[in-house]
Amino acid sequence: MDDPRFNNIFNEDFDGNYDDVMNRIVDQINYPSCGVSGASVDGAGDDSNGNDSDDNNDDDDDDADDDDDADDDDDADIDGDSDDDDAFIIRRHFDRKKLNLCTAGAINAYYINYMYKEPCMVSYNTGMRWLTEVLRGHWKRSVNMFRMDATTLLSLCTDLETHHGLKPSRRMSVIEKVAMFLFTIAVGASNRQVQERFQHSGETVSRCFKEVLKSLRLFAVEIIKPVDPQFTSTPREIAINPRFMPHFKNCVGAIDGTHVRACVPAANQIPFIGRKGVPTQNVMAACSFDMQFMFVWAGWEGSAHDTRIFLEAIDNSTINFPKPPEGKYYLVDAGYPNEYGYLGPYKGERYHFQEFRRRGQPSGRKEVFNRAHSSLRNVIERSFGVWKQRWRILQNMPAYPYKTQVEIVVASMALHNYIRRRAQDDAVFSEYDRNPNLIPDDFLPDTVQASAVQGSQRPSRMDFVRDGIANSLMEQ
């Protein structure tokens, strides 16, 4: 049939836009219905006797002639109606073919656009192949990529799988999941960089990151706490050092705060911008003298004052801060109140190591005390230095949800402690152990001078403790 409308049916491109295809289906099958009139003969009907019902028989011949002419016209009408019926049937036949063909094209377009995924990560050097090569190679390769040696990494995987709910999946082992997480926070890798390195999809990378982070949250509860919860013994670093023993024999650790970059929407940034001049979260931590974190409270806005966070931590029983027992104390800097159990330096006197290096030896018992206090308390600053130097993600936090950013801080501190306990000769810790006065520069220097504690300081029992230590140091 040479019909342009039907020719167009088979000349259409059905691989185009899905909506266009469906529109063409509707346009092509909704033809106006073809009217088919029934064949009828004009004339009078016969009565039951077969006679004409008209009583006027004189006109029979004329009527017969007229009937013959009408019959010829009716035959022509019937032939025309038959052709219309044939055309309608053919058209409906092609409509059904059109519907089938368009439907097939629409299904194909939907499959190509929404269901079919062309393989992307098809490199021979899969993530597991690369990981195996790194772990079996030189020890520095594992340290460079994951910030821990192969033995420590395998031990960490075992602990997370055995005790903290991290499980392998059908296509990925626990060690590959942990390696992906460590690679992300160690080098600050983006999701796309992890995809390319480990040859997994972005959805898989994101899901595994969340699984490992969830496991490390549970892990942090067990590892970020004092090794000796009752603080019964004098720390080894004090006991073997005549500069501090017996003057600071009751000291259990040091407390300070630090800032970590935060990535928050512009509309919510004001509370997070403090003295650093950029959005940050303020993190309070307490550490032992072997540079292990005993307590961490992350997630405070960058504008929050250290004193506010400190007082909230020691007064709120739900925080589970490891308070010192009677007669014991933490070292704090001049920004904290001189509460009982928290020993600060003399204010208004030289304190930091750099000041004594520039202006000579201390003079008087207050400066002698301040120098000893500073030398011992700088362990918290050195711990922050090791921690931030190891995990590059802390220098430029990606745009994770803020809750995830806080959990990353806590998880990285847990890994810091684990490396300290398990690694035989960690390069970063060893560098700081060899140089007890090494205090790294802060990645986020202050742009606004830190404010002092508001209000006057009330007399404290720690004033007498401080005076006693100062006198003891002068007698040495």
Side-chain angles (χ1 to χ4, degrees):
M1 177 180 289
D2 187 15
D3 188 335
R5 296 179 59 190
F6 293 122
N7 290 338
N8 289 336
I9 293 176
F10 300 102
N11 293 331
E12 294 284 351
D13 178 12
F14 301 115
D15 294 329
N17 182 273
Y18 175 75
D19 293 333
D20 292 342
V21 172
M22 297 308 298
N23 290 335
R24 289 202 298 271
I25 293 175
V26 175
D27 292 340
Q28 294 293 339
I29 68 175
N30 287 338
Y31 295 129
S33 60
C34 292
V36 180
S37 59
S40 62
V41 179
D42 294 336
D46 296 334
D47 62 13
S48 58
N49 295 323
N51 298 319
D52 294 337
S53 59
D54 192 342
D55 293 336
N56 191 356
N57 295 325
D58 294 338
D59 298 331
D60 286 346
D61 294 338
D62 295 337
D63 291 342
D65 294 338
D66 293 340
D67 289 343
D68 291 339
D69 295 338
D71 289 342
D72 292 339
D73 293 341
D74 288 343
D75 290 341
D77 291 342
I78 292 173
D79 291 340
D81 291 341
S82 177
D83 290 341
D84 290 341
D85 290 343
D86 292 342
F88 178 75
I89 293 172
I90 294 173
R91 184 171 297 160
R92 297 305 299 175
H93 174 71
F94 278 102
D95 283 345
R96 283 192 291 270
K97 286 188 175 182
K98 169 68 174 180
L99 178 62
N100 293 337
L101 189 57
C102 289
T103 302
I107 294 174
N108 179 68
Y110 184 88
Y111 175 77
I112 293 297
N113 292 331
Y114 301 106
M115 298 180 65
Y116 175 73
K117 295 183 179 180
E118 182 180 357
C120 178
M121 302 302 171
V122 294
S123 172
Y124 173 80
N125 191 24
T126 63
M128 197 60 201
R129 288 180 186 274
W130 174 76
L131 177 59
T132 302
E133 177 186 326
V134 170
L135 296 182
R136 291 180 177 177
H138 195 280
W139 64 271
K140 282 188 177 181
R141 295 187 64 187
S142 178
V143 172
N144 290 339
M145 292 294 100
F146 312 119
R147 301 300 189 258
M148 60 183 72
D149 58 65
T151 302
T152 305
L153 175 56
L154 295 174
S155 176
L156 173 65
C157 294
T158 301
D159 288 342
L160 293 180
E161 183 176 7
T162 305
H163 305 294
H164 301 98
L166 184 60
K167 301 300 180 183
S169 60
R170 186 165 59 93
R171 296 179 179 273
M172 191 180 304
S173 63
V174 166
I175 187 172
E176 187 173 2
K177 291 183 177 182
V178 174
M180 288 168 59
F181 180 89
L182 294 176
F183 181 78
T184 301
I185 68 171
V187 303
S190 66
N191 183 284
R192 291 181 179 179
Q193 290 171 326
V194 179
Q195 290 180 48
E196 183 61 32
R197 178 63 280 174
F198 286 87
Q199 293 295 297
H200 290 295
S201 68
E203 187 275 335
T204 300
V205 170
S206 179
R207 184 181 68 251
C208 292
F209 185 90
K210 293 177 182 177
E211 290 177 4
V212 178
L213 185 59
K214 179 181 178 180
S215 180
L216 285 173
R217 289 203 311 266
L218 303 175
F219 179 64
V221 175
E222 293 188 4
I223 199 168
I224 302 180
K225 62 182 182 180
V227 177
D228 178 14
Q230 303 302 321
F231 301 110
T232 55
S233 59
T234 300
R236 175 179 174 274
E237 291 75 15
I238 293 177
I240 65 174
N241 194 329
R243 290 181 60 197
F244 308 125
M245 188 66 185
H247 321 294
F248 293 95
K249 64 180 180 180
N250 293 323
C251 186
V252 298
I255 296 174
D256 203 358
T258 189
H259 288 256
V260 175
R261 285 293 294 266
C263 187
V264 294
N268 303 328
Q269 286 185 0
I270 293 178
F272 293 88
I273 300 177
R275 68 176 190 264
K276 301 298 181 180
V278 294
T280 62
Q281 58 169 302
N282 197 343
V283 182
M284 174 188 166
C287 77
S288 61
F289 292 103
D290 64 346
M291 292 191 283
Q292 290 193 54
F293 295 110
M294 299 188 296
F295 172 80
V296 57
W297 196 7
W300 283 83
E301 300 90 340
S303 61
H305 196 284
D306 290 349
T307 301
R308 175 191 172 192
I309 304 173
F310 168 75
L311 293 176
E312 181 73 17
I314 65 176
D315 292 339
N316 192 334
S317 59
T318 63
I319 303 302
N320 295 323
F321 177 78
K323 296 182 179 180
E326 182 70 23
K328 303 284 186 175
Y329 54 85
Y330 286 98
L331 298 181
V332 296
D333 66 15
Y336 292 92
N338 206 30
E339 299 282 338
Y340 182 71
Y342 308 93
L343 181 63
Y346 288 104
K347 295 183 179 180
E349 306 289 340
R350 285 187 294 168
Y351 179 71
H352 293 287
F353 175 75
Q354 293 84 351
E355 296 177 303
F356 293 108
R357 186 168 55 184
R358 289 194 303 264
R359 297 165 53 188
Q361 294 298 314
S363 59
R365 68 186 188 92
K366 291 185 177 180
E367 287 194 353
V368 170
F369 172 84
N370 278 7
R371 186 176 70 168
H373 183 283
S374 175
S375 298
L376 192 56
R377 193 199 64 85
N378 71 12
V379 66
I380 184 67
E381 298 176 2
R382 295 164 61 231
S383 298
F384 287 147
V386 174
W387 169 57
K388 291 183 178 181
Q389 181 178 336
R390 189 183 303 278
W391 310 115
R392 190 173 297 176
I393 195 174
L394 302 174
Q395 303 174 28
N396 190 17
M397 187 68 69
Y400 295 116
Y402 187 68
K403 181 181 178 182
T404 301
Q405 298 179 42
V406 175
E407 292 173 348
I408 289 173
V409 168
V410 177
S412 61
M413 285 184 163
L415 293 170
H416 168 99
N417 281 9
Y418 191 83
I419 294 172
R420 183 60 162 170
R421 296 180 186 183
R422 294 300 183 93
Q424 297 296 325
D425 187 21
D426 182 76
V428 182
F429 277 119
S430 296
E431 179 184 4
Y432 282 79
D433 288 338
R434 289 192 298 267
N435 187 357
N437 293 321
L438 176 60
I439 302 176
D441 294 331
D442 197 338
F443 292 113
L444 294 171
D446 292 348
T447 59
V448 179
Q449 184 65 32
S451 58
V453 179
Q454 300 294 325
S456 59
Q457 293 290 311
R458 62 180 182 270
S460 170
R461 292 169 58 186
M462 296 308 294
D463 295 338
F464 299 102
V465 174
R466 183 171 55 198
D467 290 341
I469 296 174
N471 293 331
S472 175
L473 288 169
M474 291 298 293
E475 295 174 358
Q476 187 177 19

